Amino acid sequence: MSDRLTRVRQQTEIGEGLAVGCLVAGVHAISTTAALDAALVRALKPWPWAARYPTVRRTPRLDDILLRSPGRRGSRTARWSASGGQFVPQLCDDEWDLPVACGQLEETTAVPARRWCDLAESFLRGLDDDLVWRGQPIDPFGDI
């Protein structure tokens, strides 16, 4: 895989990575709000893999990334659906389980699944609790 990703590929990977990371965190939905971009900017700053996504880092229009997620042909692992003022993370194949999705994400992005989970948790900490609907976190690694 080339080190230089297109803008669309960067957006696709960020969308998929956040979807999987949010599913691991037990997220059912996130409210569509202007706070999403600010939360992503704060989460990307310390994230060691951020340099791989310079376009998203410079102009983090996360609502665009999430809104366009269902129509992206490059999405293989996970996507976001928009419904009733909420973004809902989903696996692309209903038969997949989360550990399989984590492995697939690592293969397609070259970023460890645990790092996507770190980014998602950092992103979620940047949002008010009343903007995130969560259940129990899921442990796809067997040791979290």
Side-chain angles (χ1 to χ4, degrees):
M1 178 180 289
S2 170
D3 286 345
R4 303 211 28 104
L5 301 173
T6 66
R7 176 184 58 81
V8 171
R9 188 69 214 155
Q10 289 178 51
Q11 292 174 339
T12 300
E13 287 188 12
I14 290 288
E16 285 189 302
L18 283 176
V20 170
C22 284
L23 287 168
V24 168
V27 171
H28 300 291
I30 297 173
S31 179
T32 57
T33 174
L36 295 176
D37 291 343
L40 181 60
V41 167
R42 285 190 300 274
L44 282 171
K45 272 188 183 172
W47 193 53
W49 294 88
R52 182 173 166 81
Y53 304 97
T55 300
V56 174
R57 211 174 61 197
R58 279 191 305 270
T59 55
R61 305 248 335 165
L62 189 57
D63 56 335
D64 285 346
I65 293 170
L66 302 185
L67 279 173
R68 294 183 181 148
S69 180
R72 290 193 194 282
R73 284 180 285 190
S75 296
R76 297 179 198 114
T77 306
R79 63 179 170 259
W80 292 85
S81 68
S83 175
Q86 299 177 341
F87 291 118
V88 179
Q90 303 172 323
L91 296 181
C92 286
D93 186 341
D94 290 337
E95 293 182 25
W96 284 8
D97 59 16
L98 209 42
V100 170
C102 286
Q104 178 75 17
L105 184 64
E106 286 184 6
E107 288 176 26
T108 60
T109 67
V111 175
R114 288 179 190 270
R115 300 301 70 91
W116 285 114
C117 293
D118 294 343
L119 179 65
E121 279 295 339
S122 181
F123 166 68
L124 293 167
R125 280 192 302 274
L127 297 172
D128 290 334
D129 287 339
D130 60 341
L131 299 177
V132 180
W133 289 263
R134 280 193 207 227
Q136 285 291 96
I138 299 165
D139 182 5
F141 308 110
D143 61 358
I144 294 179

